[in-house]
Amino acid sequence: MSKFGLFGKFTVEEHQREELVRILLEAAASMQDLEECENYVVHTSAQDPRAVYVHEVWTSENAHQASLQLEAAQTLIRHAKPIIKDVERVCPLIPQGGKGIS
Amino acid sequence: MSKFGLFGKFTVEEHQREELVRILLEAAASMQDLEECENYVVHTSAQDPRAVYVHEVWTSENAHQASLQLEAAQTLIRHAKPIIKDVERVCPLIPQGGKGIS
């Protein structure tokens, strides 16, 4: 089964960007010991003060789906949902390898 | 100095996608011991058979610029350039943290 990658963009109000970054970094921290999550990097952009990007690599699409049921993820979703104005997935990705994933 | 992130899309002819993936994975391998390069993940996309995406995280923009002068990078550029039809940077990113980078 191939790995599963995501690169997504969240849009929030400018004054709530730090809050979303904090929530997403908390989620990343909660997945430090989750082997199925190989990469979860949170970015902001100098070009768009309302944008927060996340790059994810999972061992499989199923693993990613299952993670959404974890309590940490449910908490993230509850906290983040009210401040997220838009979600865009740049595209679903098939990780081929590289530095930073197994 | 903040970290420097990139998410870029290369477009090639469909039959040359595997070749570009091979070249980019070779580049990633050459950077395994380059501390300034914290993440270099190569993706393809089920939606676009001509696309190859790369997610990069560097300790700084200077470090990224300097890496382009390395012999491995120059070799990559020489090999890849003839088959790359288009290059898009989704946007320059400011990594805030997460799993998979320091």
Side-chain angles (χ1 to χ4, degrees), chain B residues 10-48:
Chain B
F10 296 101
T11 301
V12 293
E13 296 303 343
E14 196 168 330
H15 69 282
Q16 292 177 312
R17 183 178 70 171
E18 293 321 312
E19 174 63 3
L20 183 59
V21 167
R22 189 192 62 73
I23 293 170
L24 292 170
L25 288 179
E26 210 177 289
S30 74
M31 289 185 280
Q32 282 296 344
D33 301 327
L34 188 66
E35 275 183 27
E36 294 84 351
C37 173
E38 296 194 6
N39 205 251
Y40 192 100
V41 179
V42 180
H43 300 273
T44 55
S45 161
Q47 287 180 358
D48 182 351

Side-chain angles (χ1 to χ4, degrees), chain A residues 15 39 77:
Chain A
H15 68 283
N39 207 250
I77 292 165

